[in-house]
């Protein structure tokens, strides 16, 4: 029987890594391609915001849809799978990421509380997408048809 565990430390570190990388890339884009408004302040607007959205889509949605994990999750041996332990698809990856603003409200406090207290230790996005995060190095969680990062 599949074990549902919080993996909370690894998930927090993985999320910090992922959003840290995203933020660094965003800042680099803002500095190199943004409009210098005043001393130390840059701005992007209109169609200039499209690359930021595309990077978010590629980094979070497409990488989870293809590999089941982002770089941050892979570095902590975490993988997103269906509730049956199967590989997720692009639709599920998009669904779980669309609710990131709710999950990461107050610096992730909402997600932390929900993961700690829900039956299957899912955040809001995971509940919506019918997915959960497993530790691929834990044999109690990594049961079923998938292998780590195949």
């Amino acid at each position: 029987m599949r074990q549902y565990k919080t993996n909370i430390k690894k998930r927090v570190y993985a999320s910090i890594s992922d959003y840290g990388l995203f933020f660094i890339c965003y800042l680099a884009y803002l500095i190199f391609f943004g409009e210098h408004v005043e001393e130390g302040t840059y701005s992007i607007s209109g169609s200039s915001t499209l690359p930021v959205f595309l990077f978010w889509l590629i980094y979070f949605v497409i990488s989870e849809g293809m590999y089941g994990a982002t770089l941050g999750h892979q570095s902590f041996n975490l993988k997103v799978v269906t509730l049956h332990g199967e590989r997720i698809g692009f639709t599920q990856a998009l669904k779980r990421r669309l609710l990131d603003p709710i999950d990461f409200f107050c610096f992730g406090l909402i997600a932390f509380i929900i993961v700690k207290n829900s039956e299957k230790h899912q955040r809001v996005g995971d509940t919506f997408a019918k997915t959960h995060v497993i530790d691929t190095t834990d044999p109690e969680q990594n049961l079923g048809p998938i292998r780590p990062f195949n």
Side-chain angles (χ1 to χ4, degrees), residues 67-127:
Y67 306 110
T70 56
L71 290 174
H73 279 67
Q74 284 183 18
S75 56
F76 289 95
N77 297 310
L78 297 174
K79 191 168 191 171
V80 182
V81 296
T82 68
L83 294 177
H84 302 293
E86 299 166 345
R87 190 177 215 152
I88 67 167
F90 291 105
T91 304
Q92 285 176 300
L94 179 62
K95 281 182 176 181
R96 75 183 299 271
R97 287 298 172 179
L98 283 176
L99 296 177
D100 277 2
I102 295 169
D103 282 323
F104 297 119
F105 184 72
C106 295
F107 301 101
L109 184 61
I110 302 295
F112 183 83
I113 291 169
I114 291 173
V115 166
K116 289 287 275 182
N117 296 303
S118 66
E119 178 186 343
K120 295 178 182 171
H121 306 295
Q122 299 166 285
R123 59 185 186 87
V124 175
D126 287 318
T127 303

Side-chain angles (χ1 to χ4, degrees), residues 16-67:
I16 290 170
S17 299
D18 284 333
Y19 276 97
L21 178 62
F22 181 78
F23 185 69
I24 288 168
C25 291
Y26 171 73
L27 282 180
Y29 177 76
L30 190 63
I31 291 168
F32 289 110
F33 299 104
E35 180 182 328
H36 186 96
V37 180
E38 58 186 61
E39 189 62 37
T41 306
Y42 295 87
S43 174
I44 56 172
S45 60
S47 62
S48 298
T49 60
L50 184 61
V52 176
F53 171 73
L54 290 176
F55 179 69
W56 173 85
L57 186 72
I58 291 166
Y59 184 74
F60 289 103
V61 177
I62 293 179
S63 66
E64 283 184 354
M66 287 179 69
Y67 306 110

